[in-house]
């Protein structure tokens, strides 16, 4: 879809398949995502150094392995390249384009350095 960008499926330790009621909160450069997974369990994920966030209901997928109901890392992302070119990133930190496909609710994309489940 975006030129040379390719997706590789990742397993971040949680499932977004059939996830419901996603809520986003941005506090400085930390993005917090809360949702209810397919087993009716509450999940909280923190994205460190979030410099960009995109939510949409319209489906779009990248070449490669971009699961309809899972998570992926977008490689050779023009979105990351644009942020680096404009100096919107922090020093030597490696920013990643993470994509979460909530098949039942929408698509969340985040440019960040890391994501972790909060216990």
């Amino acid at each position: 879809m975006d030129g040379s960008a390719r997706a590789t499926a990742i397993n971040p330790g949680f499932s977004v398949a059939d996830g419901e009621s996603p809520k986003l909160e941005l506090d400085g450069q930390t993005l917090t995502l809360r949702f209810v997974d397919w087993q009716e369990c509450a999940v909280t994920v923190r994205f460190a150094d979030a410099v960009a966030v995109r939510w949409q209901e319209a489906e779009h997928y990248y070449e490669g392995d971009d699961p309809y109901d899972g998570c992926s890392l977008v490689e050779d992302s023009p979105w990351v390249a644009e942020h680096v070119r404009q100096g919107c990133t922090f020093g030597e930190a490696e920013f990643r384009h993470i994509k979460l496909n909530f098949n039942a609710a929408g698509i969340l994309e985040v440019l960040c350095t890391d994501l972790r489940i909060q216990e």
Side-chain angles (χ1 to χ4, degrees):
M1 174 172 183
D2 286 327
S4 64
R6 295 191 54 78
T8 301
I10 59 173
N11 181 356
F14 58 89
S15 174
V16 295
D18 297 323
E20 298 178 352
S21 305
K23 293 175 179 55
L24 300 170
E25 177 184 323
L26 185 61
D27 182 6
Q29 297 293 310
T30 301
L31 176 69
T32 302
L33 164 67
R34 292 182 178 84
F35 67 96
V36 177
D37 73 8
W38 66 278
Q39 296 176 340
E40 310 271 332
C41 295
V43 177
T44 301
V45 180
R46 296 222 192 264
F47 297 85
D49 303 318
V51 294
V53 178
R54 182 164 50 198
W55 172 264
Q56 66 183 42
E57 292 185 10
E59 296 177 359
H60 77 277
Y61 299 95
Y62 294 95
E63 293 294 322
D65 188 11
D66 191 0
Y68 169 73
D69 59 353
C71 303
S72 61
L73 172 65
V74 179
E75 301 173 51
D76 297 321
S77 167
W79 200 28
V80 170
E82 184 65 16
H83 280 75
V84 170
R85 186 183 69 73
Q86 292 187 31
C88 298
T89 55
F90 305 108
E92 299 297 316
E94 182 177 338
F95 281 80
R96 302 184 295 163
H97 180 168
I98 305 293
K99 186 167 182 266
L100 284 65
N101 296 326
F102 288 87
N103 59 306
I107 295 173
L108 174 66
E109 295 182 72
V110 181
L111 298 187
C112 62
T113 57
D114 192 30
L115 75 155
R116 295 192 188 273
I117 300 172
Q118 180 170 337
E119 303 295 327

